Amino acid sequence: EPEVTQTPSHQVTQMGQEVILRCVPISNHLYFYWYRQILGQKVEFLVSFYNNEISEKSEIFDDQFSVERPDGSNFTLKIRSTKLEDSAMYFCASRWQGDLAYEQYFGPGTRLTVT
Amino acid sequence: AQRVTQPEKLLSVFKGAPVELKCNYSYSGSPELFWYVQYSRQRLQLLLRHISRESIKGFTADLNKGETSFHLKKPFAQEEDSAMYYCALTHNNDMRFGAGTRLTVKP
């Protein structure tokens, strides 16, 4: 069964550095998402992406964040200048159809540690 | 604003006992509601969605618009049901999760 994959599984970076988290969604899916989960807290929506543009973003997704689908397979989340509070698990998800009732498939997550 | 509330962070039951994980939501329109589960060291995966009215692994959830609830129930809990359970609401191509409930089923 096809799965969403994410790399790396764990990323350690210094405060102020740029970091790119990578995701490969399921190949025939059209909608892509990023979420984060700070340790001990709930999963939080960051951004959704469709047809090569952002369709929704949360208040967390400020100018330090950007997303890109650079080719037909990858979906990336860039944090321009990381802060300590960006330390979290970052989950990518994808969905096939526009119908909101369709399932989002989640990747295993990337643990980002900012020191 | 849309919000999902799961009042219990931790829930512990014995094997064979009924279990109910509570979820309440606030949303002005007609929501699409889901339950996601995360087993130890595994990814989040869909357990069930309100629109399909299905029973998965013995779990059911009924949308009660009057009480704005979408509680997850199982009549006889199994040890393998131990996991984190997240209630989620989707609207306009985003998804809002509750804080999650960690269910432990003791032998």
Side-chain angles (χ1 to χ4, degrees), chain B residues 33-95:
Chain B
L33 285 153
F34 305 81
W35 277 98
Y36 277 81
V37 61
Q38 189 172 30
Y39 299 103
S40 179
R41 296 192 183 85
Q42 295 186 29
R43 64 188 69 197
L44 274 164
Q45 55 188 278
L46 180 69
L47 182 61
L48 51 78
R49 71 202 91 185
H50 91 269
I51 198 165
S52 54
R53 301 184 64 81
E54 57 203 340
S55 172
I56 303 291
K57 299 184 180 181
F59 284 96
T60 57
D62 288 318
L63 178 61
N64 185 323
K65 290 187 178 180
E67 295 182 359
T68 60
S69 68
F70 187 56
H71 303 328
L72 183 68
K73 299 177 186 177
K74 184 168 182 176
F76 307 104
Q78 303 300 313
E79 288 179 70
E80 55 267 28
D81 296 329
S82 296
M84 279 293 292
Y85 290 81
Y86 294 95
C87 183
L89 179 156
T90 189
H91 161 71
N92 284 346
N93 211 24
D94 67 18
M95 185 175 279

